[in-house]
Amino acid sequence: MKDTITHHASRINLLQPRWLILILSLIVTLLPVPYVLSNWTPVGDEPHYLLAAYSLVHDGDLDLANNYAQGDYRAFYDLPIDPHVRLGADGRSYLSHDIGLSILIAPAYALGGRAGVIIFLAIIAAFVGVNVYWLAYEVTSHQVAATLTWLILLLTPILSVYAYLVYPEMIGALIVIWTVRQLISHYSSLIVPAAISAIALAVLPWLSARFIPIALFLLAWKIWRERSIRKQLLISIGVIIGSLIGYFVVNAWLSGGTAGAIDFNTGSIPLGFQGIAIERILRGLIGWWLDQQRGVLIYSPVYIIALIGLPWLWRRLRWSGIAILAPLLIAYLSAVAWGGFWVGWEISARYLVVGLPLLAAPLALALIYLRHIAFRALAIITFAIAVLNTVMLINSPGLWGYRESIVLFYDRQTSIDLWRWLPAMSAGAYIDPNAGAIDAAEVVSDHNRSAWHTPIGLGGVVVQTSSLTDLTIGVYELHFDARAANIPTIDSPVLSIDIFSGEGVSLKHQVLRGTDFAADGSYRSFSLGFDEPFYNKWTYPVYAQISSSGLAETWLTTLSIAPEPLHLWGVSGAWLSLIALSVIAFNKRAHSNEVA
């Protein structure tokens, strides 16, 4: 009888929401794994993380020189790859990326190779889903809203896709959302959860240097929460600060000296913070959410529901609500300041994945308080689009993600150029006569400026740029100043401008004739517009070529290519206004109903 009661109680416990959510999360994240293993190829940094795990399992070290030389990566990657290494203080070749991910996935690799790693990461994603449910429930005390929030975030990009990519994002996301939950609950006053959260935070820097500011914020929050409990306070400070010190010491050694403490990862991190400009900041602020190649809302428009719920998060929790979202805000602003906008092998905004699950809080609140039929229609439509995007990305990430965009899928289903109606936060290009990066005619000083000069009778290419790899899809303008002398007739061709993509598709062809130049031989400014319809700037970069007919003497100054400002800021402004109006309108109506 006692055994029967115990079995019955256990069966009831398994039907508790937390167990159901865990079981369903595991089912949802593990189901695509066989397809992913059969059809996805590790790309970008993934093979290098896997190779470091391979070295730990088979060689017991992180020296990758022999592993690259022997082609050990062919266990999971068929093509040759360039080593991602840095020379350590002992002269050995170590992974140029942070080593935490490779260490964490090494046991899974030992058990099942790449398949073991993908299963491990899918399980991590399932636990992220469970924490999404609990964060939503703890903020709202509403089980239905929490369940819907869990379903929305688990099934839609970009969390749904990064469950199967060998990057540190999902492990970082699990650590962050779990720690935030501890800090907003009474569990933070207990010694065991406090110690576990401190250890978890200590792992963050080892996963990625990008997570250090987040770890420091969460440490500050822990210190404030545990300020009256001396033992826990000392544990948290000691563990996390000790981890940070160890992190910098180890990275200095792995990079061959003390400079490595700051400049590891092939120097890209400090380099990225150079040249910060207003335009770059604006591009980042808008682009990480709305750019049609990397924007979160482009891949998962249902996140707009979370944005609509932000005012309710403030009304409900005030500064605690701000603290909940602070890790996402830190990740976002860090990415904006760093300036890395397009990464060849990422899907959407990878750098925001670590904080995106925290949007469960405002999303759940929006589902509770906003019940107007228009809001529900918006939620259903955006959720349906996001789920379709997940299906398309899992089916073929190389076609609709990575170096392309999910917008390409919808473009092919319609007769209109959908890309023209979405923000494209592209950079530009600057080609200076003194840069030495191009083939040119003679470079001279003319009217206190550097210019390419061609005399009469010497026709041919004046400027041939190298690949303009900062140009992705968008509407652009080519700007330059030029002057000409001794033009035979006003109709004589003087300069020919050609802009074309890597596979030879002409994007712009225009001939400048004598009538286009100043009659007195002074400089005239030219601005030529063109469309760049390709997302994949890596495979299909843009080139610019300017040729002289040789019929006149010409001088040509610096070339600059920039997004056409009216289109760039007009389209972006329109979308920002539409989102802002949606947030205001839905919240105003809901607040009015609540007051009434």
Side-chain angles (χ1 to χ4, degrees):
M1 180 68 176
K2 183 178 179 180
D3 291 340
T4 304
I5 294 173
T6 302
H7 175 73
H8 182 66
S10 300
R11 186 161 56 87
I12 292 175
N13 286 337
L14 287 175
L15 295 179
Q16 294 289 330
R18 59 183 176 182
W19 291 108
L20 279 176
I21 291 297
L22 174 59
I23 293 168
L24 291 173
S25 295
L26 288 170
I27 291 172
V28 168
T29 58
L30 289 173
L31 269 179
V33 165
Y35 182 85
V36 168
L37 289 170
S38 299
N39 294 277
W40 288 26
T41 300
V43 295
D45 298 334
E46 291 183 275
H48 307 280
Y49 284 119
L50 288 168
L51 187 63
Y54 177 99
S55 182
L56 284 169
V57 171
H58 293 279
D59 301 340
D61 61 34
L62 280 169
D63 181 6
L64 303 185
N66 63 311
N67 303 108
Y68 281 111
Q70 294 164 186
D72 292 334
Y73 51 81
R74 290 192 174 89
F76 41 78
Y77 190 77
D78 293 333
L79 301 175
I81 54 176
D82 294 326
H84 284 200
V85 295
R86 45 182 161 162
L87 290 179
D90 58 355
R92 295 183 178 184
S93 297
Y94 297 103
L95 187 68
S96 60
H97 307 287
D98 287 304
I99 60 175
L101 176 63
S102 295
I103 293 173
L104 289 177
I105 64 175
Y109 192 92
L111 290 173
R114 177 181 171 234
V117 172
I118 299 301
I119 292 171
F120 169 71
L121 293 175
I123 292 172
I124 292 292
F127 279 100
V128 171
V130 172
N131 278 271
V132 161
Y133 170 84
W134 278 109
L135 177 62
Y137 183 76
E138 287 159 358
V139 168
T140 64
S141 300
H142 197 288
Q143 189 169 306
V144 173
T147 303
L148 289 175
T149 300
W150 160 80
L151 189 67
I152 288 170
L153 294 190
L154 197 63
L155 293 184
T156 60
I158 49 182
L159 299 181
S160 62
V161 180
Y162 275 89
Y164 315 107
L165 294 174
V166 187
Y167 285 109
E169 297 354 276
M170 291 304 288
I171 298 177
L174 177 59
I175 291 172
V176 168
I177 191 172
W178 188 85
T179 302
V180 167
R181 286 188 49 236
Q182 305 313 303
L183 291 172
I184 64 173
S185 70
H186 66 278
Y187 295 113
S188 62
S189 63
L190 303 177
I191 186 67
V192 174
I196 293 175
S197 62
I199 294 170
L201 284 182
V203 173
L204 272 182
W206 297 85
L207 291 172
S208 174
R210 290 181 287 106
F211 299 161
I212 292 176
I214 297 173
L216 291 175
F217 166 78
L218 292 173
L219 171 60
W221 192 359
K222 276 181 67 64
I223 291 173
W224 182 81
R225 284 299 306 269
E226 299 169 1
R227 63 191 183 278
S228 61
I229 311 174
R230 186 175 180 180
K231 187 175 182 179
Q232 291 181 202
L233 185 63
L234 292 175
I235 290 174
S236 296
I237 294 175
V239 169
I240 298 171
I241 297 300
S243 174
L244 279 171
I245 293 172
Y247 170 78
F248 283 109
V249 169
V250 169
N251 272 288
W253 189 81
L254 292 176
S255 298
T258 56
I262 299 172
D263 188 12
F264 53 90
N265 198 21
T266 63
S268 62
I269 291 179
L271 183 64
F273 284 104
Q274 296 178 12
I276 293 178
I278 298 278
E279 182 182 0
R280 194 178 85 177
I281 295 228
L282 287 175
R283 286 176 56 240
L285 287 171
I286 298 171
W288 286 116
W289 294 97
L290 289 175
D291 176 75
Q292 58 184 287
Q293 189 167 12
R294 291 291 175 253
V296 172
L297 295 179
I298 298 299
Y299 279 80
S300 190
V302 74
Y303 275 104
I304 195 173
I305 305 304
L307 300 183
I308 293 173
L310 289 176
W312 287 100
L313 184 65
W314 171 254
R315 293 187 189 117
R316 186 73 173 259
L317 296 178
R318 297 295 177 179
W319 292 107
S320 294
I322 300 296
I324 288 173
L325 296 184
L328 173 58
L329 185 62
I330 291 169
Y332 171 43
L333 294 180
S334 298
V336 168
W338 182 52
F341 196 72
W342 292 282
V343 178
W345 299 110
E346 73 173 15
I347 296 176
S348 189
R350 173 163 66 93
Y351 297 157
L352 303 190
V353 169
V354 67
L356 282 177
L358 301 174
L359 287 176
L363 199 157
L365 288 168
L367 294 176
I368 290 175
Y369 291 108
L370 304 177
R371 300 180 179 180
H372 189 268
I373 188 171
F375 171 79
R376 292 182 176 180
L378 176 66
I380 292 171
I381 292 171
T382 54
F383 177 57
I385 293 172
V387 171
L388 176 60
N389 291 349
T390 287
V391 172
M392 300 309 301
L393 288 168
I394 289 179
N395 181 61
S396 185
L399 184 59
W400 313 118
Y402 295 145
R403 300 188 173 197
E404 299 291 348
S405 169
I406 194 66
V407 177
L408 190 61
F409 166 72
Y410 296 96
D411 247 342
R412 293 184 177 180
Q413 312 305 314
T414 65
S415 58
I416 62 173
D417 290 332
L418 183 61
W419 67 268
R420 292 182 181 276
W421 301 96
L422 296 171
M425 308 307 297
S426 174
Y430 186 85
I431 304 97
D432 183 61
N434 293 320
I438 45 84
D439 294 327
E442 180 186 13
V443 177
V444 300
S445 178
D446 182 58
H447 291 71
N448 297 318
R449 63 174 81 184
S450 295
W452 293 286
H453 171 248
T454 54
I456 293 178
L458 187 61
V461 176
V462 177
V463 181
Q464 169 65 67
T465 71
S466 55
S467 58
L468 304 175
T469 53
D470 282 335
L471 272 62
T472 184
I473 198 165
V475 179
Y476 293 89
E477 287 182 339
L478 168 66
H479 301 275
F480 59 89
D481 292 345
R483 72 184 189 94
N486 303 315
I487 304 172
T489 68
I490 60 173
D491 292 328
S492 297
V494 178
L495 293 175
S496 175
I497 293 91
D498 288 283
I499 301 173
F500 50 92
S501 66
E503 75 280 18
V505 175
S506 177
L507 306 178
K508 183 73 177 183
H509 173 73
Q510 186 163 333
V511 175
L512 299 181
R513 301 183 180 276
T515 187
D516 296 313
F517 292 85
D520 60 359
S522 61
Y523 277 100
R524 172 170 287 181
S525 295
F526 294 89
S527 181
L528 309 178
F530 67 95
D531 294 341
E532 153 55 324
F534 299 102
Y535 293 102
N536 191 342
K537 69 188 183 73
W538 298 271
T539 305
Y540 308 115
V542 172
Y543 298 84
Q545 176 179 293
I546 300 181
S547 304
S548 170
S549 66
L551 299 178
E553 187 175 12
T554 63
W555 294 262
L556 178 69
T557 66
T558 298
L559 308 182
S560 67
I561 299 176
E564 200 282 315
L566 184 60
H567 183 270
L568 173 67
W569 302 116
V571 172
S572 300
W575 281 100
L576 287 173
S577 299
L578 182 61
I579 292 171
L581 287 173
S582 298
V583 173
I584 293 170
F586 283 123
N587 278 278
K588 184 176 180 180
R589 183 182 183 91
H591 187 59
S592 298
N593 292 340
E594 185 184 41
V595 172

